Amino acid sequence: MNICIIGSGHVGLVTGACFADLGNKVICVDNDEEKIGKLQRGMMPIYEPGLEELVKRNKKEGRLYFSSGLKGGVRKSEIIFIAVGTPPRDNGEADLSYVEHVSREIALSMPSYRLIVEKSTVPVNTGEWVEHTIKVFNSRNVRFDVASNPEFLREGSAIEDFMHPDRIVIGVKSKRARDLLVELYKPLKAPIVVTDIKSAELIKHASNSFLAAKISFINAVANICDMVGADLVEVSTGMGLDKMIGKEFLNAGIGFGGSCFPKDLSAFVKIAERCGYDFGILKEVEKVNEYQKRMVVKKIEGLLWNLSKKTIGILGIAFKPDTDDIRSAPSLEIISMLKREGVRVKIYDPEAMDKAKRALAKEGISSFGKNAGIEFCKDAYAVSKDSDCLIIATEWNEFKELDFKKIKKLMRQPVIVDGRNIYDPEELQKLGFRYLGIGRR
Ligand code: UGA
């Protein structure tokens, strides 16, 4: 099939490359000409395992193209995916102005029947607005359908998630739209859930909010474990073996981040509010998530007494491993809190250093003055040198295999706060570390 993907961010790029790999002819369109230029030269704007090879292969074999011209993409493709950003507005609602703009452009460019598919995460009723917008600007009365096909790609395993999905959700109004999308996804041999458009839109927000709730729930249980001296890993193992609960997403830690959960939660709360419903459970989920970051700083205070002028090393800046994405990363808020306490902060992340430098430089200038005093280190050992405490903020594999004898010698005080529970408390305590995990005995 001929497909156009509008928006070459994480979702659009992975989706485009994967559809091309399934044998379709795909044009990825973005209005950022610099990004398109780089993609045409084989340079990736994000770090996602396997993406570079996938893009290069499909480009070489003539199935994947990049362009800044929306019109051309729409003219050449029967199915058009909208995968532009829906960033949060100041009031927590999703900003849908890019979706509206793109819908208008599609209406003005489509020469004959087109299926327009919402791929970006959008509030319920967006499909109706997209359809309305296209109708208003569709002066030549070209036939079209709108569909919703939410993505369920996790950063760091997005290609695997695309190629082996648990389910594919398709929200449609017509048989033609349904048949086209079912045909497109056939090679994946996954269960396909066909619904109306609004239900498909809700499946996405409800799924992300449910997963976020699961994380906040286990984080709250971890806090109780800390108070009573129980062990969270044992508790979550005991819970997770119940198939109705499931063992995934029961890892306690310093809270969820990223470009999806925090934004989707607040958007869902706002949608409910607009409908006249107070989605109190989700507000509590947000509250627990905020608390987790303050709790880490409290734990460090409990171990180091005064924080002022202490040196604290942070291992991991990305909001999760296998990505360089630092959007809403808990590490950044923890760094801000530590800086406010007068701490000297040293940081290292295997992939996110460039993005961290840019983000912290911005914040450093506005919040802490030009000498923000953040030291960017080349590895975990450089971070450890003369530190009074190490915080594990992202569970990168390379942090699981550190030489702790060497680290103990390098640190000023052997103190570790393991914000992702990746170490065995007993082992580190035996080596002479003062160790605190999240809900660990
Ligand atoms: C999430 C969903 O998992 C995807 O299904 C969805 O498609 C995507 O959002 C999206 O809406 O685009 P993502 O944010 O990439 O994917 O990453 P997750 O693996 O879900 O992790 C999100 C956050 O939760 C991370 O900060 C992670 O550290 C945290 N987390 C996850 C925990 O603290 N504990 C867990 O047990 C699992």
Side-chain angles (χ1 to χ4, degrees):
M1 289 183 178
N2 291 323
I3 299 171
C4 171
I5 315 260
I6 303 176
S8 296
H10 196 273
V11 170
L13 199 50
V14 171
T15 303
C18 288
F19 275 140
D21 211 48
L22 294 178
N24 302 288
K25 205 161 186 182
V26 180
I27 304 179
C28 287
V29 170
D30 201 291
N31 61 4
D32 181 342
E33 289 184 13
E34 197 188 324
K35 188 193 266 183
I36 290 295
K38 281 187 178 165
L39 282 165
Q40 281 166 342
R41 294 195 297 279
M43 289 158 75
M44 295 304 109
I46 48 163
Y47 172 72
E48 177 65 39
L51 184 64
E52 192 170 338
E53 297 87 295
L54 197 71
V55 167
K56 281 187 178 157
R57 186 171 71 239
N58 283 284
K59 221 171 126 273
K60 199 170 149 214
E61 290 170 10
R63 289 187 298 269
L64 184 60
Y65 299 86
F66 297 99
S67 163
S68 53
L70 183 144
K71 273 195 174 71
V74 171
R75 266 198 223 113
K76 288 182 198 132
S77 320
E78 186 172 15
I79 308 181
I80 297 147
F81 284 88
I82 302 181
V84 295
T86 53
R89 291 166 56 189
D90 288 344
N91 65 0
E93 285 180 344
D95 179 352
L96 298 170
S97 55
Y98 303 115
V99 176
E100 182 184 356
H101 173 77
V102 162
S103 308
R104 199 168 52 231
E105 293 294 304
I106 294 171
L108 296 171
S109 320
M110 45 187 201
S112 55
Y113 175 84
R114 292 292 178 267
L115 170 60
I116 297 108
V117 190
E118 303 170 338
K119 196 65 165 158
S120 314
T121 301
V122 290
V124 63
N125 286 337
T126 303
E128 274 185 1
W129 277 109
V130 169
E131 190 177 345
H132 169 80
T133 307
I134 296 177
K135 265 188 194 148
V136 169
F137 292 92
N138 181 15
S139 53
R140 286 162 295 124
N141 249 339
V142 176
R143 292 193 58 196
F144 72 97
D145 276 309
V146 170
S148 163
N149 169 222
E151 53 84 20
F152 300 101
L153 310 176
R154 287 165 301 172
E155 290 189 25
S157 55
I159 293 169
E160 173 69 16
D161 289 346
F162 186 97
M163 294 298 189
H164 304 282
D166 289 343
R167 81 303 204 185
I168 290 155
V169 174
I170 291 173
V172 283
K173 259 168 93 175
S174 79
K175 184 174 176 307
R176 185 170 186 177
R178 175 205 162 107
D179 291 350
L180 273 171
L181 286 173
V182 168
E183 183 63 25
L184 180 63
Y185 279 110
K186 215 171 170 184
L188 294 182
K189 297 188 177 71
I192 299 186
V193 180
V194 181
T195 72
D196 60 279
I197 295 177
K198 286 183 192 182
S199 302
E201 290 168 335
L202 271 179
I203 287 171
K204 171 67 190 201
H205 263 145
S207 299
N208 270 8
S209 302
F210 189 84
L211 290 174
K214 202 171 173 188
I215 299 170
S216 277
F217 183 88
I218 205 66
N219 280 336
V221 173
N223 297 336
I224 301 291
C225 285
D226 272 337
M227 288 163 195
V228 300
D231 189 81
L232 185 271
V233 172
E234 287 170 16
V235 173
S236 62
T237 306
M239 287 170 63
L241 285 171
D242 183 333
K243 288 198 192 74
M244 283 183 291
I245 295 174
K247 57 184 171 25
E248 306 295 334
F249 278 73
L250 284 183
N251 299 321
I254 55 176
F256 54 78
S259 66
C260 305
F261 285 176
K263 165 177 87 88
D264 291 355
L265 261 185
S266 57
F268 205 21
V269 167
K270 283 285 163 191
I271 295 162
E273 222 169 84
R274 280 197 173 210
C275 300
Y277 181 71
D278 179 14
F279 214 147
I281 299 178
L282 295 189
K283 290 182 184 165
E284 206 53 43
V285 169
E286 288 177 323
K287 242 198 241 168
V288 173
N289 204 47
E290 287 313 306
Y291 177 81
Q292 290 313 100
K293 298 162 216 168
R294 293 199 302 277
M295 176 268 301
V296 169
V297 177
K298 276 194 196 148
K299 273 188 197 267
I300 303 168
E301 264 172 348
L303 290 161
L304 296 184
W305 193 17
N306 298 302
L307 294 186
S308 173
K309 304 215 166 58
K310 295 267 163 61
T311 301
I312 295 181
I314 306 209
L315 296 185
I317 302 298
F319 82 101
K320 62 180 282 191
D322 293 326
T323 178
D324 61 350
D325 197 342
I326 58 167
R327 285 175 289 177
S328 300
S331 60
L332 295 179
E333 263 186 66
I334 293 169
I335 291 172
S336 295
M337 283 186 255
L338 294 175
K339 290 305 299 175
R340 279 198 291 274
E341 294 292 332
V343 170
R344 187 168 162 256
V345 177
K346 299 175 84 171
I347 65 171
Y348 167 69
D349 186 284
E351 290 294 337
M353 290 304 263
D354 287 344
K355 287 191 176 162
K357 268 180 201 161
R358 284 198 294 270
L360 290 167
K362 256 193 211 159
E363 192 170 338
I365 287 160
S366 59
S367 319
F368 317 119
K370 275 192 179 155
N371 301 316
I374 291 170
E375 195 179 322
F376 297 88
C377 300
K378 70 174 194 328
D379 60 20
Y381 301 102
V383 168
S384 307
K385 192 165 181 331
D386 297 328
S387 283
D388 295 285
C389 171
L390 281 186
I391 304 175
I392 313 300
T394 317
E395 64 276 35
W396 284 96
N397 275 339
E398 71 173 68
F399 300 152
K400 294 178 184 164
E401 287 155 13
L402 296 173
D403 177 348
F404 279 103
K405 285 193 181 136
K406 181 172 168 187
I407 286 188
K408 188 166 174 241
K409 278 192 201 138
L410 288 168
M411 291 182 76
R412 190 182 293 144
Q413 301 189 54
V415 175
I416 291 184
V417 174
D418 180 358
R420 297 294 181 181
N421 286 345
I422 60 174
Y423 303 123
D424 179 348
E426 241 178 72
E427 268 179 30
L428 285 183
Q429 279 153 8
K430 257 193 223 151
L431 285 171
F433 283 92
R434 291 166 70 208
Y435 170 94
L436 282 184
I438 311 293
R440 301 308 307 272
R441 196 173 44 229

